[in-house]
Amino acid sequence: MVGWLYIDGIVAAPIRVLDTDAGSGMLSLAIAKKFVNRREPLRGSTLIEYRGWQHRREVRCLSAEVVGDEMLIDAVDLGMPDEVEDGPGGPAEDWLVLDGRPLAQVHGFRAGGGPGTVTGHCVMRVPLAVWRDLRVGDRAPLSGVGVPAGVSEDGAMITPLLQRHAPVHDPVHEPVVEVVRLRERLRYRVVPLATDWCEDATLLVCRVDRLEGLG
């Protein structure tokens, strides 16, 4: 055993194996399926306590499958759980920006990396109406983002990968997608990877390709 998995604040299982990729923020872990044998609970608030870390870290599970007596889980690192939206500087003011144009304020932004990190992952809540306009229709700005429809195997997915809807013969301009954090004076260059429903918004998981100050 190398650590503990917590779901919604409760210890769910001891972790048998935990492999981390510091560059990408990806984690792969294995737990005994007798503790968690379904994917649904892994959509909750999930924390990892690893014996080599000083603090627990929040993760977002992307996929999981049962192999033998184990549940194998892939997740992304979202940083320490005690980070909150409202900090000493006041309420967070985070904006989704497309090709330099602010589209909407996003909420619940979390990222595993900090200043100086080149790559990693982040998660945020995007208003439903905004996400619909970005994704629905061949000419929607982000309709061409993701994997080709029908290619990905999503049977093990917890947070479904985005599927590309644009026709192959009619390529869509790939816009520059950013999250600007005004309070923190940071700009994240991101690539949308997966989405899930959350209350009245869309939960969006992105890969962070670049992180820089606003100056």
Side-chain angles (χ1 to χ4, degrees):
M1 186 190 80
V2 297
W4 295 94
L5 177 71
Y6 293 75
I7 299 177
D8 293 330
I10 300 173
V11 175
I15 298 172
R16 291 180 172 178
V17 178
L18 176 62
D19 292 326
T20 64
D21 185 332
S24 69
M26 288 293 300
L27 301 97
S28 300
L29 55 144
I31 61 175
K33 73 174 183 180
K34 66 181 179 181
F35 295 108
V36 180
N37 57 16
R38 298 180 300 111
R39 287 185 291 273
E40 288 76 10
L42 295 170
R43 295 182 62 194
S45 174
T46 309
L47 304 179
I48 288 178
E49 181 180 277
Y50 181 55
R51 67 183 181 191
W53 297 340
Q54 293 183 344
H55 305 279
R56 295 176 187 171
R57 297 187 72 83
E58 183 176 348
V59 303
R60 179 68 189 185
C61 298
L62 298 183
S63 65
E65 62 177 330
V66 173
V67 177
D69 67 345
E70 291 186 321
M71 173 77 82
L72 306 181
I73 303 167
D74 289 325
V76 292
D77 178 13
L78 299 178
M80 291 186 292
D82 56 354
E83 296 172 359
V84 294
E85 263 189 273
D86 293 350
E93 189 174 352
D94 304 327
W95 289 83
L96 182 65
V97 177
L98 204 67
D99 283 336
R101 180 170 61 94
L103 293 181
Q105 189 170 0
V106 298
H107 300 279
F109 183 89
R110 299 292 307 279
T117 300
V118 177
T119 58
H121 288 82
C122 66
V123 64
M124 72 200 83
R125 298 193 304 272
V126 181
L128 283 176
V130 172
W131 187 246
R132 181 186 62 240
D133 292 343
L134 289 173
R135 284 289 290 176
V136 177
D138 291 347
R139 294 294 178 181
L142 296 184
S143 64
V145 172
V147 299
V151 172
S152 63
E153 294 292 336
D154 58 0
M157 296 306 298
I158 298 169
T159 310
L161 294 175
L162 287 173
Q163 293 196 332
R164 188 166 64 232
H165 299 298
V168 175
H169 63 275
D170 187 15
V172 173
H173 163 66
E174 293 189 13
V176 174
V177 184
E178 297 173 308
V179 176
V180 173
R181 310 203 71 193
L182 294 180
R183 187 183 68 190
E184 288 77 7
R185 307 297 298 169
L186 291 172
R187 182 190 303 272
Y188 290 74
R189 174 81 174 267
V190 301
V191 178
L193 295 180
T195 59
D196 201 356
W197 300 109
C198 62
E199 300 174 357
D200 59 347
T202 296
L203 183 73
L204 177 62
V205 180
C206 299
R207 186 182 74 239
V208 178
D209 281 349
R210 188 165 62 210
L211 173 58
E212 58 189 15
L214 288 179

